[in-house]
Amino acid sequence: MHAAVLHEVGGTPRFQEFPDPVARDGEIVVKVRAVAVENVDRAIVAGTHYTAARYLATLPMIPCFDGIGELPDGRLVGFGNLRPPYGALAELAVVPADGYAPIPDGFDPATATVLGSAITGMAMQTAGGLAPGETVLIQGATGVAGRLAVQVARLLGAGRIVATGRDDAQLAAVAELGADTVISTAVSDDELVAAYRDARGDGYDVVLDYLWGRPTEILLRALTPDSFGFHKPTRMVQAGESAGPALGLRAEALRTSGVELCGAARGLRDRIGEAYAQVLAWARSGELRFALERVALGDIEAAWRRTDLQGRRLVVVP
């Protein structure tokens, strides 16, 4: 089969032939129809993601660990949990027998690749406990996942949505998607502290954080009170690290601020079916809007290097 093949950590996948996957007991081979290249996939290839050791243990390997495929009987499914060195950027993928979920008839495979990012936005509710009318801050709202999260927040009934990003033009686009207030993080630390405080109103109920690093460190500084008291809780859901994998967390930022930290996966195990069905319904009805950049598998080397997507999801079609 043809595949996008990575030969070294931090390299660029190349289009070439690779041995066909052979199913073991409890596995099935699917025909790949579409694969989204996400930030996590790039981080794994770069060797910087915490799961990279597992996927890069054997080189050469095929990147990306989920996608949309076709079963031998023709049914369209979303699949994941692939066995290295076989990833999704190939004509065929080997999938656990319980590692796929049906996609409705007539649903475009490339469009279906975005559902996973939308489910991450559902972490505002599944992990953060978002209730209708509450205020949401979305850190890193100008990327694909962030733009979806803004829309998910509105569809979940958020009362007010604050969104951050570095590019003013992209922030304007996010405002058109439903953000009530936008904050540029491309300012000095003191200006950013002031912006967070000015936009919080009576407090951020839920923060969905795709950034981490400097912006979140400054946000925690902005949320740190200057007096004793019992402050309104802020449920901060950690979902990404596009601004950096670490931050300096002062004890005072948690002691009386009301900030509660958790990961995006909290609560998802028991509600994944519900979350999936909801985002699928929104996508089918057109309530979730997103832009795709479709490229052929044979063009993966040039596509992998692209930096001009600006909120469009790169989707590879074998």
Side-chain angles (χ1 to χ4, degrees):
M1 68 176 180
H2 287 99
V5 182
L6 181 74
H7 290 268
E8 60 184 3
V9 178
T12 299
R14 301 199 301 264
F15 180 71
Q16 63 182 72
E17 291 187 348
F18 198 82
D20 288 359
V22 177
R24 300 173 181 173
D25 289 343
E27 294 180 335
I28 189 170
V29 174
V30 302
K31 180 181 179 181
V32 179
R33 296 287 303 278
V35 179
V37 177
E38 304 185 44
N39 288 338
V40 62
D41 301 309
R42 296 181 184 279
I44 289 172
V45 165
T48 59
H49 195 266
Y50 67 92
T51 65
R54 176 194 173 209
Y55 291 101
L56 300 176
T58 302
L59 292 172
M61 59 84 71
I62 301 170
C64 297
F65 53 83
D66 60 17
I68 307 299
E70 186 178 309
L71 298 179
D73 62 8
R75 285 180 295 160
L76 195 67
V77 297
F79 64 82
N81 195 25
L82 304 185
R83 166 169 52 88
Y86 291 98
L89 282 180
E91 294 174 324
L92 301 171
V94 61
V95 179
D98 61 353
Y100 60 85
I103 301 294
D105 292 341
F107 205 82
D108 173 48
T111 300
T113 63
V114 182
L115 297 179
S117 295
I119 288 174
T120 302
M122 291 292 287
M124 285 179 283
Q125 185 182 75
T126 56
L130 177 68
E134 290 190 319
T135 296
V136 175
L137 169 63
I138 298 171
Q139 287 268 77
T142 56
V144 174
R147 291 179 188 221
L148 286 166
V150 169
Q151 298 172 72
V152 168
R154 185 64 74 202
L155 290 165
L156 289 173
R160 197 164 63 92
I161 302 169
V162 181
T164 72
R166 292 186 55 83
D167 184 278
D168 289 342
Q170 299 304 313
L171 284 171
V174 169
E176 292 180 1
L177 289 174
D180 299 291
T181 303
V182 296
I183 296 173
S184 172
T185 60
V187 296
S188 71
D189 291 3
D190 288 343
E191 288 175 307
L192 187 52
V193 167
Y196 282 132
R197 288 177 174 168
D198 288 345
R200 67 183 171 184
D202 63 353
Y204 301 115
D205 296 292
V206 177
V207 176
L208 182 61
D209 193 295
Y210 292 103
L211 296 180
W212 213 238
R214 169 188 172 265
T216 302
E217 188 169 318
I218 295 172
L219 171 62
L220 288 167
R221 194 169 116 199
L223 295 177
T224 301
D226 55 9
S227 62
F228 293 112
F230 299 99
H231 296 274
K232 181 180 180 180
T234 296
R235 289 104 64 192
M236 183 176 292
V237 181
Q238 209 291 315
E241 53 185 68
S242 61
L247 53 75
L249 180 60
R250 296 177 62 87
E252 64 190 26
L254 296 180
R255 192 161 48 234
T256 59
S257 67
V259 171
E260 304 167 354
L261 284 170
C262 71
R266 185 175 78 172
L268 189 58
R269 179 189 295 272
D270 297 331
R271 300 183 65 183
I272 183 65
E274 174 190 345
Y276 177 79
Q278 181 62 84
V279 300
L280 181 61
W282 286 332
R284 295 193 79 177
S285 68
E287 292 174 281
L288 280 180
R289 290 184 287 156
F290 43 84
L292 306 178
E293 185 76 10
R294 303 175 196 235
V295 300
L297 180 61
D299 296 326
I300 186 60
E301 192 167 352
W304 192 269
R305 296 192 179 107
R306 289 185 60 172
T307 59
D308 62 339
L309 295 171
Q310 295 185 325
R312 303 191 306 277
R313 172 68 79 218
L314 179 66
V315 178
V316 179
V317 181

